[in-house]
């Protein structure tokens, strides 16, 4: 019962470096999404996907890329990290993209950009 | 505009006290969902409840209860006889039916329950 798995749990980057945050789910969920959590601001949606090959932007997509080549995986890419991207990132998935389908969150990745 | 406001940034109570966490939302949609999530110190997000806009019945689950009032656009969360394990950040969120599962979160309320 792995659920939603995020790796790594912690990461420190220097400004300008690139990296990929990994997210995998084993529940055959069609819908996957990425949120970032910043102090005093709750969680904000970065990108989401309603199925393999389909992605769309959320509230704060700038500086991030995503792809969905398989149902299981939804990586989040930072091409050139900036200090403003220091945050905790959560991946979430649900069986469908409908709002009444429970959303399952991963345990988060804490990213620091210096 | 869609918005969720949790005006209480931090609340501190002594164990066994009752505590209410406030949530006020804004939306022009007539169909929507409201959620509460708990984030304990370990950092994961734990789903507590989902309520749709057509169901204004209050809900009770053990020591937890929720009061949904459309007239005041509020979805408040009460913990009865609080315990130290209730210490966490609690998020209220609004979900809209016409979007593909976009949750709009409040800024969270940090609850500290002291022994």
């Amino acid at each position: 019962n792995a659920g939603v798995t995020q790796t790594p749990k912690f990461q420190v980057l220097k400004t300008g470096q690139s990296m990929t945050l990994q997210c995998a789910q084993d529940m055959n969920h069609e819908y996957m999404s990425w949120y970032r959590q910043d102090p005093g601001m709750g969680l904000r949606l970065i990108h989401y996907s309603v199925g393999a090959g389909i992605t769309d932007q959320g509230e704060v997509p700038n500086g991030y890329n995503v792809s969905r080549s398989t149902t299981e995986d939804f990586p989040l890419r930072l091409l050139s990290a900036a200090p403003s991207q220091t945050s905790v990132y959560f991946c979430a998935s649900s069986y469908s993209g409908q709002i009444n389908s429970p959303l399952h969150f991963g345990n988060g990745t804490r990213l620091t950009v210096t | 505009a869609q918005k969720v406001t949790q005006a209480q940034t931090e609340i501190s109570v002594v164990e066994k006290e009752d505590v209410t966490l406030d949530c006020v939302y804004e939306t022009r949609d007539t169909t929507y969902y409201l959620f509460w999530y708990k984030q304990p110190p370990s950092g994961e997000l734990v789903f507590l409840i989902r309520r749709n806009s057509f169901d204004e019945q209050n809900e009770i689950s053990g020591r937890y209860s929720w009061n949904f009032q459309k007239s005041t656009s509020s979805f408040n969360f009460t913990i009865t006889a609080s315990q130290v394990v209730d210490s966490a950040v609690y998020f209220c969120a609004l979900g809209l039916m016409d979007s593909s599962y976009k949750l709009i979160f409040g800024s969270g309320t940090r609850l500290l329950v002291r022994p």
Side-chain angles (χ1 to χ4, degrees):
Chain A
N1 292 335
V4 180
T5 303
Q6 290 184 237
T7 55
K9 292 186 179 180
F10 302 94
Q11 182 71 49
V12 178
L13 290 178
K14 293 185 177 179
T15 298
Q17 286 186 319
S18 62
M19 81 157 296
T20 299
L21 307 185
Q22 302 291 346
C23 175
Q25 52 87 13
D26 61 357
M27 298 173 282
N28 201 30
H29 284 175
E30 289 296 322
Y31 178 88
M32 297 185 74
S33 57
W34 279 100
Y35 286 84
R36 60 177 288 175
Q37 181 182 11
D38 300 298
M41 300 187 72
L43 281 76
R44 292 179 293 167
L45 182 64
I46 304 171
H47 285 285
Y48 65 95
S49 168
V50 298
I54 306 170
T55 64
D56 207 344
Q57 296 181 350
E59 181 184 356
V60 288
N62 293 340
Y64 307 95
N65 284 343
V66 292
S67 61
R68 186 92 180 271
S69 56
T70 67
T71 299
E72 295 78 18
D73 300 299
F74 190 45
L76 179 72
R77 297 185 185 84
L78 286 71
L79 297 180
S80 179
S84 60
Q85 294 178 305
T86 293
S87 188
V88 180
Y89 292 84
F90 286 95
C91 180
S93 73
S94 73
Y95 179 72
S96 74
Q98 298 303 309
I99 202 72
N100 56 357
S101 178
L103 196 61
H104 300 258
F105 283 89
N107 287 338
T109 294
R110 184 174 294 274
L111 175 67
T112 302
V113 183
T114 61
Chain B
Q2 334 284 356
K3 186 180 179 181
V4 175
T5 301
Q6 294 180 256
Q8 303 152 308
T9 305
E10 291 189 10
I11 300 175
S12 181
V13 299
V14 176
E15 202 170 20
K16 298 185 182 177
E17 284 186 17
D18 298 348
V19 58
T20 295
L21 309 182
D22 297 333
C23 174
V24 174
Y25 62 93
E26 295 177 31
T27 180
R28 292 182 179 179
D29 291 27
T30 56
T31 302
Y32 51 89
Y33 279 75
L34 295 165
F35 301 78
W36 276 95
Y37 284 88
K38 174 182 180 180
Q39 187 176 44
S42 50
E44 74 271 24
L45 284 161
V46 179
F47 167 81
L48 295 178
I49 190 172
R50 178 182 67 242
R51 175 56 51 88
N52 75 55
S53 53
F54 297 107
D55 183 2
E56 286 193 74
Q57 279 193 334
N58 291 334
E59 179 147 345
I60 298 174
S61 176
R63 297 183 295 106
Y64 294 172
S65 62
W66 291 269
N67 183 353
F68 177 28
Q69 291 194 339
K70 289 179 76 171
S71 61
T72 57
S73 297
S74 64
F75 188 43
N76 296 338
F77 173 32
T78 297
I79 301 175
T80 303
S82 60
Q83 299 176 1
V84 172
V85 293
D86 295 327
S87 296
V89 179
Y90 291 86
F91 291 99
C92 180
L94 169 68
L96 304 173
M97 285 295 288
D98 60 351
S99 62
S100 185
Y101 219 145
K102 296 174 185 175
L103 291 183
I104 300 163
F105 282 82
S107 55
T109 296
R110 182 178 300 277
L111 174 65
L112 175 63
V113 181
R114 294 171 281 126

